[in-house]
Every structure is written in C-alpha cells, then in structure tokens.
Amino acid sequence: MRIGVFVCHCGTNISGTVDVAKVAEVARGMPRVKFATDYRYMCSEPGQNLIKDAVKKHNLDKIVVASCSPSLHERTFRKCVEGAGLNPYQMEMANIREQCSWVHHDKKEGTKKAIDLVKMAVAKVGKDVPLKRMRIPVEKKVLVIGGGIAGIQAAIDVSMAGFKVVLVEREPSVGGRMARFDKTFPTLDCAACILTPKMVTVAQNDNITLYTYSEVEEVSGYVGNFEVKIRKRARSVDMDKCTGCGICYGKCPTKVPSEFDMGLGKRKAIYVPFPQAVPNIPVIDRKNCIYFLREKCKICQKVCPPGAIDYEQEDEIIKEKFGAIIVATGFTLFDHSVYGEYGYGKFKDVVTGLHFERMANASGPTGGKIVRPSDGREAKDVVFIQCVGSRDEQKGLPYCSRLCCMYTAKQALLLKEHNSEAQAYVFYIDIRAAGKNYEEFVRRVQEEYGAVYLRGRVSRIFEKDDMLIVRGADTLSGAQIEIKADLVVLASGLIAQPDARKMAQMLGISYDKNNLFTEAHPKLAPVETVTAGIFLTGACQSPKDIPDTVATASAASVKAIGLIAPDELTLEPLVAKVNPDICSGCLACLQVCPFSAIEKEDVKDRLTKEMKIVAKVIESVCHGCGACSATCRVGAIDIAGFRDEEILAEVEAIT
Amino acid sequence: MTESREPNTEQQEEWQPKIIGFLCKWCSYAGADLAGGSRIPYPANIRIIRVPCSGRVNPLFVLKCLENGADGVLVSGCHPGDCHYSEGNYYARRKFAVFKKLLEYLGVDPRRFQVSWVSAAEGEKWAEIVKTVVEEVRAAGPNKQLSAPVDKCSGAPVKRKHLKND
C-alpha cells in the first residue's frame, strides 16, 4: 500500500493557523505514507494535476487530501483520483479548514490538531476498499409542491423542457400570495395581469397535471424514485361536469369571512376564492355549509345546470412516482399581536400590508378604496410602520424580511394614487432598497408622492375619538411625534409556514431555527437541499420578492431537469452489506431499517451445507444510514465507506 | 535544586483532555462546518469522526475510545424528529440512554460520555457544546480507568493495583 498525503494552504485560510509544511513533514513519517506535500490551492487545476502526477510518479494507490470539509470538495477530489486511474473511494479528506484552522486561533494547537486529523484520514484510507457506483433508473417526472408564483414558474419551466410535472396546491386555486397583491414594485405592473396568464398556462399545459385543494401526505423513496402520496380533498363538486358558471355561489345563502380577502370581505359556503381562480371550479367549505351542518338546504345542487354538485364525494388518495421534487411552499405573515405598542392586534384599524393590498385592489372587498375596516370611512392619514417582527430578536425575528421596505414604499404610492388628498407617514429603521431600480423607486415615493419618512420606532398606538394616535420618535431630529391617523398599516415580516417543520420532516430536508428550509450551500448550491433530488424555490427558504422567487424557480427547475434528463442515475455505493457467513439470521436489522431495505434470504451454509436464513440488503433501496450495522449482534453488517474497521482505525490513530 | 527542576519539565505540557466526537454527516457535522464558516472559536480538544447517522454509532465504538485512553466521547446527531433517515437518531437516543447507565454501572464518570443534538444551522450551539463538554471532561480529569496498560516487555496486560475513582 502506498498512500499519498496532500495538504492544502487554501490561500491563508488554512496556512494562517496551521503550519501546513510541518503537517506534510509529519505525514511523511506516518505508516505506509510514501509521499506528502503541501500546496497553495489543492482544488485548483494545478493542485489536482499535482495529485495526478504524484500518483504516477510515486505509484500511489491511496490518497488523503487535507483541506476543507468533505461536504464541499469530496466530489472534486474523488473525481480527481478517478482521473488518476484510482478507485474514487480510495480517497479520504481531513477537514483541517472548517473544523480546525477556522475555529482555532493558536497555531501550535491548530497544527497539532491538523496532524491528528491527517493521522485519522491516513488510518481510514488504509482500510478503505474499492467501491463501484450503482446505476438506477430515473422516473422522468417532477413534483412541485405549492402553487404560488414560485411553483407555477417551476412547473412551467420543467414542462417546457418536455417533462411531466405534477403541481400540488392546498388552496382551491393556484396563485398563492401574489394573486392577492394589487400592484408590484418597482414597475407597478398589476399583479393579476402578469400572474393570471401563467396560472392559465399551468391549467392548460399538457405536461402539467394540476391538483388543487390537495396536499402531499407522504414521501418515501429516494432520488430519482420518490414515491409520493397525495390527498385530493373532496371538493364536493365534480370537476369534469362543472362549467364554472357561478350560479351556485350566487344562490348560496351562507356568508363567511373570505380568507383570500383577509376577512375584509365575505364569501359563500360554496365558493371560488377569487374571480380569476384557476381552476375556476368552486369548492364547498364543509365546515360552514348548511347541508353538511344540518342536512338541509341543497340549493346549490338544485340550481346547478350540469348537476356537478356531489355531496357524497370523498377524499381521493393518489400515489405517484417522481424523479425530483421542487418545494415551493412559500411563507406566511408574522403575527403582530405580540406587540403591545401596536395594540396586541385589538385595533380594527391597525392592519397588515396584505390587508392594504386587498383594499387597493379594484376587484377586492372595498372595490379599490382604502378604507378603515372599523367604520368603512375612506382613510386619509395613513401611518406605515416598518420592521414589524423583522430585526427584532426580543419578540420577533432576528432577520430582515427583505421586501417590507419596498412594499411599504409601493403602498404609500398607491395610497396617494387612490386618494390624492391622502398623506402617508412611514416609520422606518433603515431603508433597504437593494435591487434594480429599487432605490430610485423609494426616492420617487418620497419626492413625487410626498410620503413623509420618519426614522424611528413607534412607542404606542391608542384610540382617541375614533382616530388612532400614533406616538413615536423621529431619531433624526430628536423630536417626539404624535400623528392622528385613520389607518395604521404594519409591514409585518415574512415567516415560515406554520407546518414548515412537518413538511421538512416528511421530505427529509433540513431547516433552520426560524423553520426556513436550508439550502445545501448558501452560495454554491442555493436551490439544492442536502437530500439529493429535492430542490427549493421561493420564500420557503428565505424571504424573497417576486423577481428573486421567479429566478430561484427557474434555477430549481434546471436542477430538476438536469437530474431526470439522463436515463440512469449514478448513486454513491455507500450502502450496507451483509456477510452471510457470520449472519445468524436473527433479523434484528430488519426491524430497525427505516427503509425496509433488508429482506430474508435462504442460503446454503458454506460449512454445514445446510440451508439457513440470513439478512440481505436491497442495495438500491438502502440509504446507508447504518442503523442495522450498529444493531447487529455478530457484526455481520457493515456500511461501505463507514465500516467498523475504518471507524475504529480512526479511533486508534489518535488514542 | 533537583526538586525544583523536575516538576518544571513535567508541567510544561499541561494535561489536555482528549475528546472524540462521532458526528452525523447531515446535521452535526454540517453544524460543526458552519461553526467554522462563521469563525466561531471553540477548544481544540475534540477530534471529529464523520459517520452517516448517529444511529450508525455502535456503543462499542465509544467503549473502544475510552479503552484506548480518550478522556471523553461525544455523539451528536440531528434533532429528534429531524433525522435524515427519519428514525436513526431515535435508535441512537434509546441505545445511548441505556448505554450511559451501563457505563455508570461500570464506574465511568457520566461526564465522559455525552450525547447532543445539533442541526446543520446551529454552528453556535456546536461551539457551545464543545466548550461545555471539554470543561466537564477537564473537571473529570484524565481517564485512567478503562484504559488497559500493557507491560512493555511481555505485551501482557498489567494488573492494576487499585482502581482510582474518577
């Protein structure tokens, strides 16, 4: 065995706190190491060529690269040693950057630890055996979860490449949050005008199957072969028969607050959420429908010309296979009722930005008038408060929600356009308008539309003579300010969906402390997750405005298409393997396997020539978690790449 | 004179606890990487072994570490409920709850073996955990209990005169 050790400086990232030359020098004295050197950037082309040349010149058969985390460059160096004619799994990395030089400041200690880490990698690579990658077929179909602008764009992009897409949306219509907006910054395009054509495309495209009023219930399988269970909730309306004429909801006697209009307007118990809904087919809200409550009424059934109303309809479970999944589940708004200074959510005339959007919308509940929800009077003096929840670690969110500065500016503009008498006051902390034409837009709102921007926090809002008194400070002039306002609009921050964690656990993807889904790498893999085959787009990952959302949707689609386009996928061979000679057939492994990847097998014992039962791993189903291996009483199961022998060699190297 | 020289050379290399960490590659290993990416310093006493899942860690690995002279062992995985393999960390949690009791029964100071849950987004938490574990193991002192010293000539295990309590 001839091991080569290659120590990377990573510029000064590693060499700043680790004496790399010394690490290489010590490595030269380690058992079976025939060659060791250090180099400025091991991952660069000259660095990789250095490895390839050394393999030839020194006849090396195993390689240790001491550099960054394997999650960053394991693939790079596997490919490199493969190019040098070695088995790619005869390479180990010592993580001397993320887990050494970047976290320790003392050069002596850093060097000592780096040497230990190299020792461990040398010991492990010594036990490594050559492995062969597996090839598996790919299901050429993509699942998109969430039918907002992110999901819609992703579905369209994937379908345009000629692949089948299933789009699942839990509301009765696609469109998501964007469908509720009036106009979009900074161009003031009407949101519906740019969104509805895309919604219609989704419904009409032959490659796209749309399941609205449906939810993903279960996801199993693995990259290229996900098995998904979708629950299509009972609409109580036959989608094939319904013509979308709308007579049913015209006649329905029950009125309830409309979720789509943020409770500002009413809808019926049988309803489409908004006029441009796709599909334009109503659903019956069984919690409020008189028939479902008291078995009376049935008016909708009587008036429906094609007889599409079906009270007996049941939830339908659809099982389908997908090669890749795009997650586009979006966001929800921060609940401002935790703030006493804004009235704990008690004041009717303190609303969120989304309420304002519905009011500003011509087809909204107020017909495009900005009014006070308490008495319906048109609002003249409107106070906007930014950073509600955002950037407040005490009560709210530690992060900046990124779009509130812009949508507040837009709403201040819309207010003036809807009512030239009106006056907007904006309380802000900082204005973050980093985007194409964003800063110019905010400036225009201040200069041309006369919005008054006040730098400071609001300390209290209280009611006085049917008006709201907003008390705050202008920290630039140092003055205390009181504004008599008709309406207060809170720029509530964006947060993860309430069930985001459940979704992440179902998909096996990771999430951060704010329940936002985590990307595989913040810079180099922003739409991938650590779970192969699952991609992210839109605000479920972090707050994003529409341009960014659309961009990530297209990015996620390209990644998904790239994955399912080839006929076969190569999988890492890091799976479990049973040694039938020592397996006692107790099948404890079968009990713990989370993927049911282990089955019974009858084999002839090599010694006794009698038939016996042993465990057998189905390699394409095995994920290589190793629960079986840690459970096996006789040590008959091992995980390729993480075998007992390899792990213990690492332990022994440093103890 | 001789009296003053000897302790000096002895004390030059102050005893540092040696801790071995078994980290699952999806959460805790990535969390430790994030601590690095965010430049959050922590003591250099830990040596990390990357494993696919905390459920992969055989209690025998832990025993082997202690037997070979490691002063402490830390197993860290995804938070319960967040396992990349959906239930691997549940097995780990159950197994190590029993195993910790067994170690205590053997007389091993419970501070020497610890289990934690660190997600890929918790770089700060990782650094904090390492600090705590290092301090606790330091307080527990050098591990002389499970390690089996060997006679250098014969290779046979040396019979210990007395077991020192931790």
Side-chain angles (χ1 to χ4, degrees):
Chain A
M1 192 183 297
R2 301 178 65 86
I3 301 174
V5 178
F6 299 84
V7 186
C8 181
H9 298 206
C10 196
T12 55
N13 279 307
I14 295 172
S15 60
T17 27
V18 170
D19 184 347
V20 279
K22 191 175 172 203
V23 175
E25 188 197 312
V26 176
R28 255 169 244 136
M30 290 178 196
R32 291 173 300 222
V33 173
K34 303 295 174 206
F35 178 78
T37 189
D38 56 284
Y39 185 70
R40 194 170 290 268
Y41 289 106
M42 218 41 105
C43 58
S44 68
E45 208 191 332
Q48 294 192 39
N49 286 338
L50 180 95
I51 298 176
K52 287 180 192 163
D53 293 343
V55 168
K56 276 197 204 98
K57 198 171 159 202
H58 300 278
N59 201 17
L60 305 172
D61 56 6
K62 295 192 174 192
I63 301 297
V64 167
V65 182
S67 58
C68 47
S69 170
S71 55
L72 191 65
H73 274 320
E74 191 171 55
R75 199 173 289 176
T76 314
F77 290 117
R78 286 226 164 112
K79 224 172 153 195
C80 167
V81 300
E82 197 172 15
L86 303 181
N87 183 283
Y89 297 91
Q90 306 273 50
M91 189 283 303
E92 291 294 338
M93 289 183 76
N95 185 347
I96 61 167
R97 193 179 75 170
E98 278 86 345
Q99 296 181 2
C100 186
S101 72
W102 275 353
V103 285
H104 308 314
H105 298 318
D106 182 63
K107 198 156 184 170
K108 204 177 135 209
E109 287 215 314
T111 309
K112 196 176 143 211
K113 180 166 172 182
I115 291 170
D116 270 0
L117 294 177
V118 171
K119 244 189 233 170
M120 289 159 76
V122 167
K124 190 179 180 200
V125 86
K127 302 284 181 189
D128 278 355
V129 288
L131 301 171
K132 234 180 117 194
R133 291 200 184 94
M134 298 182 295
R135 299 195 150 269
I136 51 157
V138 185
E139 193 67 38
K140 291 185 175 292
K141 200 159 55 174
V142 176
L143 169 69
V144 179
I145 308 175
I149 179 62
I152 290 172
Q153 185 65 42
I156 293 173
D157 286 347
V158 174
S159 73
M160 272 168 61
F163 294 104
K164 297 278 179 202
V165 187
V166 169
L167 178 60
V168 178
E169 166 60 45
R170 92 172 134 195
E171 301 290 329
S173 165
V174 293
R177 303 279 172 189
M178 187 178 167
R180 299 182 183 188
F181 301 161
D182 180 40
K183 297 219 162 55
T184 55
F185 61 78
T187 48
L188 297 181
D189 289 300
C190 121
C193 313
I194 52 177
L195 179 64
T196 19
K198 284 185 189 287
M199 288 163 58
V200 175
T201 310
V202 163
Q204 292 177 344
N205 191 311
D206 288 338
N207 277 338
I208 303 176
T209 311
L210 180 60
Y211 295 133
T212 49
Y213 211 49
S214 307
E215 277 180 85
V216 175
E217 272 207 339
E218 212 179 290
V219 177
S220 58
Y222 49 97
V223 56
N225 296 275
F226 292 106
E227 278 164 46
V228 179
K229 215 161 119 184
I230 300 162
R231 177 178 291 268
K232 222 175 144 193
R233 279 156 62 203
R235 241 186 151 89
S236 314
V237 175
D238 188 329
M239 291 185 83
D240 295 327
K241 286 188 191 158
C242 176
T243 58
C245 68
I247 297 176
C248 53
Y249 50 83
K251 299 283 183 198
C252 175
T254 313
K255 277 187 179 174
V256 287
S258 156
E259 297 87 357
F260 186 81
D261 286 331
M262 307 294 294
L264 291 169
K266 300 264 189 219
R267 64 160 171 84
K268 299 295 182 64
I270 182 166
Y271 69 106
V272 289
F274 54 105
Q276 307 90 332
V278 171
N280 189 20
I281 294 171
V283 293
I284 294 183
D285 165 11
R286 291 189 175 184
K287 279 196 193 95
N288 289 302
C289 170
I290 296 175
Y291 173 76
F292 283 96
L293 291 173
R294 295 194 286 277
E295 299 217 345
K296 276 179 197 156
C297 185
K298 284 194 174 181
I299 289 176
C300 51
Q301 196 177 46
K302 281 171 213 150
V303 299
C304 178
I309 307 292
D310 177 4
Y311 297 118
E312 310 302 317
Q313 205 178 55
E314 281 176 11
D315 289 5
E316 197 184 330
I317 303 286
I318 299 159
K319 280 183 188 165
E320 275 193 65
K321 274 187 91 175
F322 298 96
I325 298 175
I326 296 175
V327 188
T329 49
F331 67 93
T332 192
L333 278 191
F334 178 81
D335 177 14
H336 63 267
S337 66
V338 297
Y339 285 103
E341 55 264 47
Y342 308 145
Y344 294 115
K346 280 185 311 209
F347 302 141
K348 272 192 167 173
D349 295 332
V350 177
V351 298
T352 70
L354 216 45
H355 289 90
F356 187 95
E357 293 289 339
R358 291 314 301 147
M359 289 198 272
N361 195 301
S363 63
T366 58
K369 269 195 178 156
I370 313 296
V371 300
R372 294 155 48 91
S374 61
D375 54 13
R377 205 176 72 213
E378 198 162 3
K380 237 188 89 203
D381 291 314
V382 179
V383 172
F384 294 87
I385 303 174
Q386 290 195 176
C387 292
V388 175
S390 311
R391 307 174 69 197
D392 179 357
E393 269 198 82
Q394 295 288 312
K395 270 186 192 159
L397 320 163
Y399 56 83
C400 163
S401 291
R402 279 187 82 204
L403 31 144
C404 324
C405 286
M406 290 308 296
Y407 79 65
T408 301
K410 174 196 73 183
Q411 290 175 350
L413 181 148
L414 290 179
L415 173 72
K416 198 80 177 168
E417 284 205 334
H418 283 251
N419 178 2
S420 57
E421 308 263 286
Q423 176 62 49
Y425 302 90
V426 181
F427 280 95
Y428 70 99
I429 304 178
D430 298 295
I431 295 175
R432 297 184 166 174
K436 199 174 180 184
N437 291 326
Y438 284 11
E439 177 65 25
E440 295 92 318
F441 181 79
V442 176
R443 219 158 247 280
R444 226 177 92 212
V445 171
Q446 295 173 348
E447 286 164 7
E448 285 176 33
Y449 290 83
V452 177
Y453 269 67
L454 300 159
R455 190 177 191 277
R457 276 244 180 237
V458 167
S459 56
R460 207 178 146 207
I461 300 173
F462 55 95
E463 282 176 314
K464 197 178 172 191
D465 309 332
D466 87 346
M467 291 291 271
L468 291 166
I469 310 292
V470 182
R471 193 178 279 167
D474 177 4
T475 54
L476 293 182
S477 68
Q480 288 291 318
I481 290 175
E482 257 189 30
I483 298 168
K484 246 175 135 183
D486 297 300
L487 186 70
V488 174
V489 181
L490 305 178
S492 303
L494 273 62
I495 58 170
Q497 292 276 16
D499 51 357
R501 257 169 103 145
K502 219 177 97 198
M503 174 64 72
Q505 290 173 350
M506 182 171 71
L507 293 165
I509 60 178
S510 48
Y511 54 88
D512 63 15
K513 63 177 176 204
N514 304 308
N515 292 342
L516 295 165
F517 302 148
T518 314
E519 58 287 331
H521 190 280
K523 295 169 196 83
L524 301 177
V527 295
E528 290 99 319
T529 65
V530 288
T531 305
I534 300 184
F535 305 99
L536 302 174
T537 162
C540 62
Q541 182 217 359
S542 68
K544 284 189 187 67
D545 56 14
I546 296 166
D548 284 359
T549 299
V550 172
T552 55
S554 295
S557 326
V558 170
K559 291 286 172 187
I561 294 165
L563 179 82
I564 60 168
D567 292 326
E568 275 187 328
L569 256 182
T570 33
L571 278 193
E572 293 264 19
L574 308 177
V575 292
K577 200 171 171 3
V578 180
N579 180 348
D581 290 344
I582 43 175
C583 175
S584 65
C586 73
L587 300 176
C589 49
L590 194 144
Q591 307 280 323
V592 297
C593 179
F595 307 99
S596 310
I598 296 177
E599 56 186 13
K600 275 199 279 190
E601 193 190 23
D602 292 310
V603 293
K604 199 182 230 175
D605 194 284
R606 286 211 303 197
L607 285 174
T608 61
K609 307 288 178 210
E610 277 170 23
M611 294 305 284
K612 67 165 187 177
I613 290 173
V614 295
K616 189 191 167 206
V617 176
I618 313 162
E619 288 192 346
S620 61
V621 185
C622 176
H623 284 47
C625 72
C628 54
S629 178
T631 306
C632 184
R633 295 157 205 186
V634 290
I637 305 194
D638 237 337
I639 307 296
F642 296 97
R643 294 184 305 135
D644 286 355
E645 214 186 336
E646 291 163 14
I647 292 171
L648 290 175
E650 286 185 85
V651 171
E652 270 159 19
I654 47 158
T655 47
Chain B
M1 273 164 75
T2 41
E3 270 177 35
S4 61
R5 224 184 295 147
E6 263 191 17
N8 260 349
T9 42
E10 281 276 299
Q11 274 172 7
Q12 256 175 7
E13 279 284 309
E14 196 196 330
W15 171 75
Q16 283 289 344
K18 184 177 276 177
I19 291 155
I20 295 180
F22 292 96
L23 272 62
C24 90
K25 67 174 174 183
W26 301 103
C27 292
S28 296
Y29 193 92
D33 276 353
L34 182 67
S38 327
R39 313 294 197 280
I40 306 167
Y42 56 84
N45 304 61
I46 190 158
R47 306 286 180 266
I48 293 168
I49 294 178
R50 184 168 169 248
V51 287
C53 175
S54 53
R56 166 71 185 96
V57 183
N58 194 319
L60 291 175
F61 296 170
V62 180
L63 219 48
K64 195 81 182 167
C65 294
L66 294 173
E67 212 178 274
N68 281 15
D71 300 301
V73 179
L74 172 66
V75 174
S76 191
C78 308
H79 284 271
D82 298 349
C83 178
H84 182 77
Y85 306 105
S86 68
E87 50 201 52
N89 56 0
Y90 288 140
Y91 292 124
R93 183 168 67 173
R94 233 177 289 166
K95 206 154 37 192
F96 288 120
V98 177
F99 182 65
K100 210 173 161 90
K101 286 258 165 5
L102 180 72
L103 281 180
E104 274 184 70
Y105 179 74
L106 288 176
V108 175
D109 191 313
R111 289 173 291 189
R112 295 203 189 284
F113 172 62
Q114 310 216 15
V115 179
S116 70
W117 316 115
V118 175
S119 84
E122 294 175 330
E124 254 167 82
K125 186 179 172 191
W126 169 249
E128 280 311 309
I129 282 176
V130 175
K131 276 181 212 160
T132 326
V133 171
V134 168
E135 277 327 301
E136 290 189 5
V137 174
R138 196 189 297 280
N143 165 29
K144 290 178 182 160
Q145 202 173 11
L146 275 183
S147 51
V150 190
D151 188 305
K152 277 179 186 151
C153 297
S154 64
V158 176
K159 230 182 184 177
R160 231 179 264 143
K161 285 183 188 110
H162 59 92
L163 276 177
K164 208 169 138 193
N165 246 337
D166 267 355

